[in-house]
Structures are given as structure tokens and as C-alpha cells.
Amino acid sequence: MEDIFVVYCSDSPEGRCRFHQHRHWKARFRMSAILRELLRVSEKAANIARACRQQEALFQLLIEEKKEGEKNKKFAVDFKTLADVLVQEVIKQNMENKFPGLGKNILGEESNEFTNDLGEKIILRLCSTEEETVELLSKVLNGNKLASEALAKVVHQDVTFTDPTLDSIEISIPQDILGIWVDPIDSTYQYIKGSADIKSNQGIFPSGLQCVTILIGVYDLQTGVPLMGVINQPFVSQDLNTLRWKGQCYWGLSYMDTNIHSLQRLDSTRKNSEARSQMTENTSSEAERSHPFSAVISTSEKDTIKAALSRVCGERIFRAAGAGYKSLCVVQGLVDIYIFSEDTTFKWDSCAAHAILRAMGGGMVDLRECLQRNSEMGLDLPQLVYHVENEGAAGVDRWANKGGLIAYRSRKQLETFLSLLIQNLAPVDTCT
């Protein structure tokens, strides 16, 4: 059977030439330049995600995901997977074009190689012209010209992103120590389901398009420490007249003595508000004083953890879809803690939020190790790292967060929370 190679080139025709002419492993770049490009490509990715829901030709392909029955065997991949991979490749190739050599260190949830039911091999990369992309996508989508044209148009659409705060970052970093984890469309089920009318609970959405995120995390290849993070939330608010969505982007950078993030102005406002609330503390409810913590959890969380949390947090426990979105709830300050005891999140789920939280004075730790840790011995909190595979694991499990996780904004707050959690957990849970 003949192979079909869907080969996308760079956005700029000279991209690959520049890579061969100027690649050198000791290159240093201003961190602001790298972060600005990550923000730009995350917005480009968000445009692709939104287009698939808002442009009729593409939306019809998404709708087919919901239907029972055999898909067309000529389709190389289901459209959900195509959208995921296309977003990932846009991020990867754009970063490679801007910072030659960086592309080899970008890893993600999705593979860009497929074999369809007819035995044809498809490799997805980026294209130099919109016309070439249309032609090649038509092969993948069984000659669906309208869908191919709509998708190619948004893939090649230029995007600009500006944030004056980034201009203040003067520090440079060696490019060859950087690794990048990408989750192109986190909470894919909510993305396909497409619910737009879910009501929030104190600002937190239990499900719906608001739970969809694009996650890009940069880490140190030598130490595994997260350095930069971008969380793009493509579906934040919808215009009821046009039905078009607007999104929001969050970022953070933590490197050496530099800690900066996109919520700093909001945080200063929040601190002023907290100072005022302390002056009127007697107005706080008895429930809030007896249960000072709030947490967001998965609907699949273990009963033992939920029981302990109910004693620590009272009714201030929220359920939400998507690991990226639950982490974002902590970043936004909607909750104090995101806790998950299972081993079904991965490095691409956590790296972006971890970097942002580090820039805010928080972090993300291994839950199991925290429960086994003896705080009296002065052992440091077991932060998640991103450069080491799980020993003896295969496939995606190599990059799973095996001990579960806790995301937090304040080290002091985490210590108090852990102390209360351990007190309320059955002894067997602290050693499993």
C-alpha cells in the first residue's frame, strides 16, 4: 500500500535554511523573547481550537465525533486527534523557526505519525504555503475541501501578542538546557462535547468548554525544574450575538532570582482586599474559620481522600474537569489547593501550571511522598520534576505523575494543609 506523507513546512520558507545555517548549541536567548513566542503560538493554537468549533465546515467534523458507527476508513485519523496534533505541530514548528534547534526538545501528548485503516502512513508537520496545506489536508480528510480550506487558513494566519511586562525581563538563558512539554488540547472530552451553557460554582466550572486549556511548560533539562509556563484558555466568554468565543492567557517565569507572572497586578489588588478583610475578620462565617482551605478535585478522586478533604475543607470542595483547568483554578486564586491522588496525570498536564505557581511563590508536589514525609526531619517538599522517566514504565506511563500531586500557591499554606490532611487520613493511606 502506498504511503501518504503529509509534510508541513515552516511558516516562513526560509525557516529550515536558517536552522541549518545558524544552529549552534551554545545559543543564548532573552527569556522574554522565548516567553513572548510561546504566548504567540499558544494564541495561534487557541485560534485553531476555536475555529474547529465556530467554522461550520470544521464543526461538522467535530459533531461526527459524537455519533456512533464506523468512521470513514479513508480518514487517516479522527478529527479530534487531527486538531490535537495540528495544534502541537504548530507550536513545535513555530518555536523551531524562531529558535533553531529548540524543536528537538519539544515533547507532547500526541504522536504526529498515524496509519489509517487502509494501511496508509500519515506524518503531520507544518506547510510553507496555505495552498499546499489545503491540498495535503484534503488527502487526510477524504477530499473535504471546505474543511481543509478552513483549517489551513487558521493554521497560516499570523498572530501577534504583546505584554509590556515581558519587556522588563533582561535575563538570558542557554537554549540547550531547555525542554518543553506541550498538551495541545487538555480536556478533550469537554472540547468535543462543547457545552457552552454550564454555570460556574463560585467562579469554577465543573465542566464545559471553559475547562479546555492549551498547556506549554518549559523546564531545565538538567534539573527538571519548571522555568516558564503558558496556560491558554480558549473558551472564556461567548458573544451571545455572534456566538464567537474570547479566551484568556496566563503565564509565569521563574529562573534564578527572577519571578514574574501575568497575575501580579491582580495579586496586588487581592492582597489589598485581604488586608481589608483581616480588619473585619469578625464578619467571617463560622464555617470559613473552622475550614480555612478550599480545594478543587477530580470527579474520580478516591473516597478516602474526599472524606479527609471534607473534614479539612468542609463544603469548600469543588469538582472540575481537566487537569490543566484545575491547576489554573489554583493559579487564579479561586481555590487554595488542587489535589489528585491517582497516577493518571502526566508531565505535559502539570509543567505549565507548575512554572507559573513557582513564579507566584507556590509549586506542585508529589502527594504520595508528601504523605510519607517526616516534616520533623526537615525534609524538603518533593516538587515534581520533568526530565526523568519513571523507571520500568512503558509508553505514556513513562511520564506519569505516579505519586499524584498537590498544586498550591503558598508554601506556608501547603504545610498547614498537609498537616490537617494527614491527621484526617486513615493510617493505611499514608504509606500506600
Side-chain angles (χ1 to χ4, degrees), residues 134-291:
V134 170
E135 180 183 346
L136 294 170
L137 282 175
S138 292
K139 295 178 182 178
V140 181
L141 297 175
N142 197 32
N144 189 327
K145 194 74 178 296
L146 284 176
S148 300
E149 288 175 345
L151 195 52
K153 183 176 181 180
V154 70
V155 164
H156 287 273
Q157 199 171 47
D158 199 20
V159 171
T160 58
F161 187 97
T162 57
D163 189 330
T165 311
L166 294 177
D167 295 332
S168 64
I169 304 172
E170 297 293 339
I171 192 166
S172 295
I173 189 167
Q175 179 184 302
D176 59 338
I177 72 163
L178 299 181
I180 300 179
W181 283 113
V182 174
D183 191 340
I185 300 178
D186 187 57
S187 197
T188 310
Y189 175 76
Q190 298 300 326
Y191 178 61
I192 298 299
K193 191 176 179 183
S195 299
D197 56 355
I198 305 296
K199 303 299 181 185
S200 70
N201 181 3
Q202 298 185 42
I204 298 170
F205 289 88
S207 58
L209 283 170
Q210 288 87 350
C211 297
V212 174
T213 53
I214 294 163
L215 309 171
I216 310 174
V218 181
Y219 64 97
D220 188 319
L221 285 167
Q222 299 165 346
T223 65
V225 172
L227 305 174
M228 289 181 275
V230 172
I231 300 177
N232 197 308
Q233 191 181 13
F235 305 97
V236 174
S237 60
Q238 188 179 32
D239 187 309
L240 295 180
N241 294 318
T242 64
L243 298 182
R244 293 199 169 275
W245 285 90
K246 289 185 179 179
Q248 180 69 43
C249 202
Y250 303 84
W251 58 265
L253 181 153
S254 180
Y255 180 66
M256 299 176 70
D257 296 326
T258 299
N259 288 285
I260 189 169
H261 57 87
S262 58
L263 290 93
Q264 277 171 313
R265 279 174 290 188
L266 180 62
D267 271 1
S268 63
T269 303
R270 184 182 290 114
K271 285 175 183 176
N272 291 337
S273 174
E274 287 171 354
R276 287 193 297 272
S277 67
Q278 286 174 3
M279 295 171 64
T280 58
E281 194 175 22
N282 59 333
T283 64
S284 298
S285 70
E286 181 63 34
E288 287 176 333
R289 288 197 295 271
S290 59
H291 299 107

Side-chain angles (χ1 to χ4, degrees), residues 337-380:
I337 296 291
Y338 161 37
I339 182 170
F340 188 53
S341 62
E342 303 285 347
D343 61 358
T344 52
T345 66
F346 300 87
K347 301 306 179 188
W348 49 78
D349 291 312
S350 56
C351 189
H354 193 170
I356 299 173
L357 288 166
R358 282 189 75 234
M360 304 173 88
M364 204 173 285
V365 291
D366 183 298
L367 172 61
R368 184 189 301 155
E369 289 188 26
C370 281
L371 297 180
Q372 295 172 341
R373 167 179 166 263
N374 186 343
S375 58
E376 294 179 0
M377 294 178 62
L379 296 176
D380 201 10

Side-chain angles (χ1 to χ4, degrees), residues 313-344:
C313 302
E315 295 183 357
R316 303 175 69 200
I317 301 172
F318 304 87
R319 288 165 177 78
Y325 177 68
K326 287 190 280 286
S327 300
L328 179 59
C329 288
V330 181
V331 168
Q332 292 173 307
L334 296 172
V335 291
D336 302 310
I337 296 291
Y338 161 37
I339 182 170
F340 188 53
S341 62
E342 303 285 347
D343 61 358
T344 52

Side-chain angles (χ1 to χ4, degrees), residues 22 38 70 106-107 117 120 122 130 157 159 190 242 247 263 330 333 338 345 390 401 422:
H22 299 290
L38 288 174
E70 187 180 11
I106 299 177
L107 299 175
D117 291 341
E120 298 166 330
I122 289 87
E130 189 173 326
Q157 199 171 47
V159 171
Q190 298 300 326
T242 64
L263 290 93
V330 181
Y338 161 37
T345 66
N390 293 313
N401 295 314
I422 290 170

